[in-house]
Amino acid sequence: MELLMSIVIGIVFSVTIYLFMSKNLLRVVVATLLLSHAVHLLLLTMSGLQRGAAPILSFDAEAYADPLPQALVLTAIVISFAVTALLLVMSYRTYKVHKTDDLEELRGSADE
């Protein structure tokens, strides 16, 4: 299962790099969203995909799942949601002010 997840993570990272190299501002925002999801999958995969009961006090379970990677990923999801919302608002404001979302046009000229 870890091998399959590693392949999926590699595909998501390559799609992210492709979107980062585009000239559209909205695609760059989607790339940051995909990058954060890829990192979440990477954290969960590198911690080991374990099956087991929830770590609640009961003595009848054979194995317990580690809650620390899940807590880290949950915190990272909340932070990436906030960053994505901020980037969406900033890109919307940039589009309203400059009337374009093309990064080459937003770059400006050399004499500025």
Side-chain angles (χ1 to χ4, degrees):
M1 187 69 172
E2 280 93 2
L3 179 64
L4 177 66
M5 289 300 293
S6 299
I7 292 170
V8 169
I9 291 168
I11 290 171
V12 174
F13 269 115
S14 26
V15 168
T16 300
I17 296 301
Y18 175 76
L19 287 175
F20 267 130
M21 293 189 302
S22 69
K23 295 180 181 179
N24 192 345
L25 188 59
L26 188 60
R27 286 186 182 182
V28 173
V29 172
V30 171
T32 58
L33 181 68
L34 280 176
L35 182 66
S36 67
H37 285 306
V39 170
H40 300 157
L41 287 173
L42 183 69
L43 284 173
L44 283 178
T45 304
M46 290 300 111
S47 67
L49 300 174
Q50 304 169 355
R51 292 181 180 250
I56 300 174
L57 188 60
S58 66
F59 298 109
D60 56 347
E62 295 176 9
Y64 294 102
D66 188 16
L68 185 62
Q70 297 171 8
L72 285 173
V73 169
L74 184 62
T75 306
I77 287 171
V78 172
I79 292 170
S80 68
F81 177 72
V83 168
T84 304
L86 177 71
L87 287 175
L88 281 174
V89 168
M90 288 175 58
S91 62
Y92 178 72
R93 179 72 178 146
T94 302
Y95 179 76
K96 282 295 192 181
V97 169
H98 297 288
K99 304 288 191 238
T100 185
D101 64 344
D102 188 17
L103 292 175
E104 291 296 324
E105 293 178 19
L106 290 173
R107 182 178 302 216
S109 60
D111 60 341
E112 291 183 327

